[in-house]
Amino acid sequence: MLAAARSPESPKLPPELAADLEINSLVHDARYAELELRDVELREQNARGVTLEAVDFTGVDLSGSRLEHLSVADGRFSGCNLANIDARGAGVTRVGVESSRLTGIALTEAAVQDLSIASSRV
């Protein structure tokens, strides 16, 4: 008999995050940690090796971005536009996505663990 599947683990976010740092673009091998972003437009970014740790993004537009080897651990994305992101070789751990657009997202060769998607367009 098969065991019941467990629910995905929720992102582990600290009680306080750095709010709205001025980020106009993503750069190769950049690391963003304990960060909260609201209503930021980052469309069509091209950056390899970006790391997002303990992030809370609301209303962020990353559509059309090429983010090879993106690493996201403990992230929450709400009301975001993640459409047509190419994240080949990404690592995704404990990430929640809700009320977001994911149409055409490509996670080729990605390692995904504990990802939950709710009320979103896929």
Side-chain angles (χ1 to χ4, degrees), residues 9-15 17 34 53-55 73-76 93-96 114:
E9 246 184 87
S10 297
K12 295 176 181 173
L13 298 174
L17 298 169
E34 297 188 7
E53 294 177 358
V55 296
D74 297 310
R76 183 169 44 216
T93 305
R94 289 181 307 277
V95 172
D114 294 312

PDB file of all heavy atoms in Angstrom, residues 9-15 17 34 53-55 73-76 93-96 114:
ATOM      1  N   GLU A   9       6.202  21.641   2.458  1.00  0.00           N
ATOM      2  CA  GLU A   9       6.624  22.489   3.568  1.00  0.00           C
ATOM      3  C   GLU A   9       6.474  23.947   3.161  1.00  0.00           C
ATOM      4  O   GLU A   9       6.797  24.324   2.043  1.00  0.00           O
ATOM      5  CB  GLU A   9       8.103  22.226   3.893  1.00  0.00           C
ATOM      6  CG  GLU A   9       8.338  21.609   5.232  1.00  0.00           C
ATOM      7  CD  GLU A   9       9.818  21.477   5.529  1.00  0.00           C
ATOM      8  OE1 GLU A   9      10.408  22.442   6.062  1.00  0.00           O
ATOM      9  OE2 GLU A   9      10.347  20.407   5.236  1.00  0.00           O
ATOM     10  N   SER A  10       6.035  24.782   4.082  1.00  0.00           N
ATOM     11  CA  SER A  10       5.897  26.215   3.821  1.00  0.00           C
ATOM     12  C   SER A  10       7.257  26.894   3.884  1.00  0.00           C
ATOM     13  O   SER A  10       8.167  26.416   4.555  1.00  0.00           O
ATOM     14  CB  SER A  10       4.981  26.857   4.866  1.00  0.00           C
ATOM     15  OG  SER A  10       3.692  26.323   4.771  1.00  0.00           O
ATOM     16  N   PRO A  11       7.381  28.050   3.192  1.00  0.00           N
ATOM     17  CA  PRO A  11       8.632  28.800   3.283  1.00  0.00           C
ATOM     18  C   PRO A  11       8.930  29.193   4.730  1.00  0.00           C
ATOM     19  O   PRO A  11       8.024  29.538   5.492  1.00  0.00           O
ATOM     20  CB  PRO A  11       8.362  30.054   2.446  1.00  0.00           C
ATOM     21  CG  PRO A  11       7.207  29.719   1.585  1.00  0.00           C
ATOM     22  CD  PRO A  11       6.407  28.703   2.328  1.00  0.00           C
ATOM     23  N   LYS A  12      10.195  29.143   5.093  1.00  0.00           N
ATOM     24  CA  LYS A  12      10.619  29.548   6.438  1.00  0.00           C
ATOM     25  C   LYS A  12      11.163  30.969   6.335  1.00  0.00           C
ATOM     26  O   LYS A  12      12.307  31.184   5.951  1.00  0.00           O
ATOM     27  CB  LYS A  12      11.686  28.586   6.967  1.00  0.00           C
ATOM     28  CG  LYS A  12      11.152  27.184   7.158  1.00  0.00           C
ATOM     29  CD  LYS A  12      12.229  26.218   7.578  1.00  0.00           C
ATOM     30  CE  LYS A  12      11.630  24.823   7.724  1.00  0.00           C
ATOM     31  NZ  LYS A  12      12.642  23.816   7.967  1.00  0.00           N
ATOM     32  N   LEU A  13      10.307  31.935   6.661  1.00  0.00           N
ATOM     33  CA  LEU A  13      10.677  33.346   6.562  1.00  0.00           C
ATOM     34  C   LEU A  13      10.889  33.930   7.951  1.00  0.00           C
ATOM     35  O   LEU A  13      10.140  33.623   8.879  1.00  0.00           O
ATOM     36  CB  LEU A  13       9.590  34.137   5.836  1.00  0.00           C
ATOM     37  CG  LEU A  13       9.331  33.724   4.384  1.00  0.00           C
ATOM     38  CD1 LEU A  13       8.141  34.476   3.811  1.00  0.00           C
ATOM     39  CD2 LEU A  13      10.569  33.942   3.543  1.00  0.00           C
ATOM     40  N   PRO A  14      11.884  34.785   8.100  1.00  0.00           N
ATOM     41  CA  PRO A  14      12.101  35.432   9.404  1.00  0.00           C
ATOM     42  C   PRO A  14      10.965  36.414   9.693  1.00  0.00           C
ATOM     43  O   PRO A  14      10.247  36.831   8.777  1.00  0.00           O
ATOM     44  CB  PRO A  14      13.431  36.170   9.223  1.00  0.00           C
ATOM     45  CG  PRO A  14      13.594  36.349   7.760  1.00  0.00           C
ATOM     46  CD  PRO A  14      12.864  35.215   7.108  1.00  0.00           C
ATOM     47  N   PRO A  15      10.787  36.804  10.956  1.00  0.00           N
ATOM     48  CA  PRO A  15       9.690  37.716  11.302  1.00  0.00           C
ATOM     49  C   PRO A  15       9.787  39.071  10.614  1.00  0.00           C
ATOM     50  O   PRO A  15       8.785  39.707  10.328  1.00  0.00           O
ATOM     51  CB  PRO A  15       9.788  37.877  12.813  1.00  0.00           C
ATOM     52  CG  PRO A  15      10.933  37.056  13.270  1.00  0.00           C
ATOM     53  CD  PRO A  15      11.550  36.375  12.104  1.00  0.00           C
ATOM     54  N   LEU A  17      11.743  41.277   7.360  1.00  0.00           N
ATOM     55  CA  LEU A  17      12.549  41.251   6.152  1.00  0.00           C
ATOM     56  C   LEU A  17      12.947  42.673   5.777  1.00  0.00           C
ATOM     57  O   LEU A  17      12.219  43.626   6.072  1.00  0.00           O
ATOM     58  CB  LEU A  17      11.738  40.650   4.992  1.00  0.00           C
ATOM     59  CG  LEU A  17      11.269  39.201   5.170  1.00  0.00           C
ATOM     60  CD1 LEU A  17      10.272  38.834   4.092  1.00  0.00           C
ATOM     61  CD2 LEU A  17      12.455  38.260   5.135  1.00  0.00           C
ATOM     62  N   GLU A  34      16.635  37.560   2.863  1.00  0.00           N
ATOM     63  CA  GLU A  34      15.765  38.229   3.834  1.00  0.00           C
ATOM     64  C   GLU A  34      15.262  39.560   3.282  1.00  0.00           C
ATOM     65  O   GLU A  34      15.435  40.619   3.876  1.00  0.00           O
ATOM     66  CB  GLU A  34      16.486  38.393   5.168  1.00  0.00           C
ATOM     67  CG  GLU A  34      16.837  37.055   5.780  1.00  0.00           C
ATOM     68  CD  GLU A  34      17.387  37.139   7.180  1.00  0.00           C
ATOM     69  OE1 GLU A  34      17.385  38.237   7.775  1.00  0.00           O
ATOM     70  OE2 GLU A  34      17.816  36.090   7.697  1.00  0.00           O
ATOM     71  N   GLU A  53      17.035  33.908  -1.100  1.00  0.00           N
ATOM     72  CA  GLU A  53      16.845  33.164   0.142  1.00  0.00           C
ATOM     73  C   GLU A  53      15.961  33.973   1.086  1.00  0.00           C
ATOM     74  O   GLU A  53      16.271  35.135   1.373  1.00  0.00           O
ATOM     75  CB  GLU A  53      18.193  32.893   0.822  1.00  0.00           C
ATOM     76  CG  GLU A  53      19.097  31.975   0.035  1.00  0.00           C
ATOM     77  CD  GLU A  53      20.451  31.792   0.689  1.00  0.00           C
ATOM     78  OE1 GLU A  53      20.723  32.404   1.740  1.00  0.00           O
ATOM     79  OE2 GLU A  53      21.264  31.030   0.129  1.00  0.00           O
ATOM     80  N   ALA A  54      14.918  33.359   1.570  1.00  0.00           N
ATOM     81  CA  ALA A  54      13.990  34.001   2.507  1.00  0.00           C
ATOM     82  C   ALA A  54      13.496  35.328   1.920  1.00  0.00           C
ATOM     83  O   ALA A  54      13.790  36.399   2.427  1.00  0.00           O
ATOM     84  CB  ALA A  54      14.628  34.205   3.872  1.00  0.00           C
ATOM     85  N   VAL A  55      12.742  35.217   0.816  1.00  0.00           N
ATOM     86  CA  VAL A  55      12.218  36.399   0.139  1.00  0.00           C
ATOM     87  C   VAL A  55      10.693  36.364   0.091  1.00  0.00           C
ATOM     88  O   VAL A  55      10.088  35.304   0.023  1.00  0.00           O
ATOM     89  CB  VAL A  55      12.786  36.542  -1.294  1.00  0.00           C
ATOM     90  CG1 VAL A  55      14.288  36.755  -1.256  1.00  0.00           C
ATOM     91  CG2 VAL A  55      12.433  35.354  -2.164  1.00  0.00           C
ATOM     92  N   ALA A  73      15.175  29.523  -2.174  1.00  0.00           N
ATOM     93  CA  ALA A  73      14.910  28.753  -0.961  1.00  0.00           C
ATOM     94  C   ALA A  73      14.120  29.641  -0.015  1.00  0.00           C
ATOM     95  O   ALA A  73      14.500  30.785   0.233  1.00  0.00           O
ATOM     96  CB  ALA A  73      16.206  28.315  -0.304  1.00  0.00           C
ATOM     97  N   ASP A  74      13.010  29.127   0.473  1.00  0.00           N
ATOM     98  CA  ASP A  74      12.162  29.851   1.411  1.00  0.00           C
ATOM     99  C   ASP A  74      11.660  31.154   0.783  1.00  0.00           C
ATOM    100  O   ASP A  74      11.991  32.257   1.220  1.00  0.00           O
ATOM    101  CB  ASP A  74      12.905  30.123   2.732  1.00  0.00           C
ATOM    102  CG  ASP A  74      13.258  28.823   3.431  1.00  0.00           C
ATOM    103  OD1 ASP A  74      12.344  27.982   3.588  1.00  0.00           O
ATOM    104  OD2 ASP A  74      14.426  28.625   3.791  1.00  0.00           O
ATOM    105  N   GLY A  75      10.855  31.009  -0.258  1.00  0.00           N
ATOM    106  CA  GLY A  75      10.323  32.170  -0.963  1.00  0.00           C
ATOM    107  C   GLY A  75       8.812  32.157  -1.035  1.00  0.00           C
ATOM    108  O   GLY A  75       8.187  31.097  -1.105  1.00  0.00           O
ATOM    109  N   ARG A  76       8.243  33.341  -1.026  1.00  0.00           N
ATOM    110  CA  ARG A  76       6.789  33.507  -1.196  1.00  0.00           C
ATOM    111  C   ARG A  76       6.575  34.519  -2.316  1.00  0.00           C
ATOM    112  O   ARG A  76       7.152  35.611  -2.293  1.00  0.00           O
ATOM    113  CB  ARG A  76       6.147  33.975   0.102  1.00  0.00           C
ATOM    114  CG  ARG A  76       4.645  34.101   0.014  1.00  0.00           C
ATOM    115  CD  ARG A  76       3.971  34.308   1.347  1.00  0.00           C
ATOM    116  NE  ARG A  76       4.657  35.290   2.183  1.00  0.00           N
ATOM    117  CZ  ARG A  76       4.760  35.204   3.503  1.00  0.00           C
ATOM    118  NH1 ARG A  76       4.253  34.185   4.147  1.00  0.00           N
ATOM    119  NH2 ARG A  76       5.382  36.145   4.189  1.00  0.00           N
ATOM    120  N   THR A  93      13.218  25.321  -3.354  1.00  0.00           N
ATOM    121  CA  THR A  93      12.955  24.615  -2.102  1.00  0.00           C
ATOM    122  C   THR A  93      12.093  25.478  -1.187  1.00  0.00           C
ATOM    123  O   THR A  93      12.424  26.642  -0.938  1.00  0.00           O
ATOM    124  CB  THR A  93      14.280  24.291  -1.370  1.00  0.00           C
ATOM    125  OG1 THR A  93      15.135  23.571  -2.254  1.00  0.00           O
ATOM    126  CG2 THR A  93      14.030  23.464  -0.126  1.00  0.00           C
ATOM    127  N   ARG A  94      11.000  24.907  -0.692  1.00  0.00           N
ATOM    128  CA  ARG A  94      10.067  25.583   0.218  1.00  0.00           C
ATOM    129  C   ARG A  94       9.618  26.934  -0.355  1.00  0.00           C
ATOM    130  O   ARG A  94       9.893  27.993   0.199  1.00  0.00           O
ATOM    131  CB  ARG A  94      10.676  25.756   1.614  1.00  0.00           C
ATOM    132  CG  ARG A  94      10.819  24.461   2.387  1.00  0.00           C
ATOM    133  CD  ARG A  94      11.405  24.668   3.782  1.00  0.00           C
ATOM    134  NE  ARG A  94      12.652  25.406   3.769  1.00  0.00           N
ATOM    135  CZ  ARG A  94      13.846  24.858   3.528  1.00  0.00           C
ATOM    136  NH1 ARG A  94      13.950  23.571   3.266  1.00  0.00           N
ATOM    137  NH2 ARG A  94      14.937  25.609   3.548  1.00  0.00           N
ATOM    138  N   VAL A  95       8.898  26.856  -1.472  1.00  0.00           N
ATOM    139  CA  VAL A  95       8.423  28.059  -2.156  1.00  0.00           C
ATOM    140  C   VAL A  95       6.912  27.976  -2.309  1.00  0.00           C
ATOM    141  O   VAL A  95       6.366  26.946  -2.694  1.00  0.00           O
ATOM    142  CB  VAL A  95       9.104  28.219  -3.537  1.00  0.00           C
ATOM    143  CG1 VAL A  95       8.477  29.365  -4.330  1.00  0.00           C
ATOM    144  CG2 VAL A  95      10.600  28.440  -3.358  1.00  0.00           C
ATOM    145  N   GLY A  96       6.247  29.092  -2.004  1.00  0.00           N
ATOM    146  CA  GLY A  96       4.804  29.207  -2.191  1.00  0.00           C
ATOM    147  C   GLY A  96       4.503  30.275  -3.220  1.00  0.00           C
ATOM    148  O   GLY A  96       5.068  31.369  -3.163  1.00  0.00           O
ATOM    149  N   ASP A 114       9.113  20.845  -2.293  1.00  0.00           N
ATOM    150  CA  ASP A 114       8.204  21.619  -1.465  1.00  0.00           C
ATOM    151  C   ASP A 114       7.778  22.926  -2.133  1.00  0.00           C
ATOM    152  O   ASP A 114       7.970  24.025  -1.618  1.00  0.00           O
ATOM    153  CB  ASP A 114       8.801  21.897  -0.073  1.00  0.00           C
ATOM    154  CG  ASP A 114       8.973  20.623   0.734  1.00  0.00           C
ATOM    155  OD1 ASP A 114       7.997  19.839   0.786  1.00  0.00           O
ATOM    156  OD2 ASP A 114      10.054  20.393   1.279  1.00  0.00           O
TER     157      ASP A 114
END
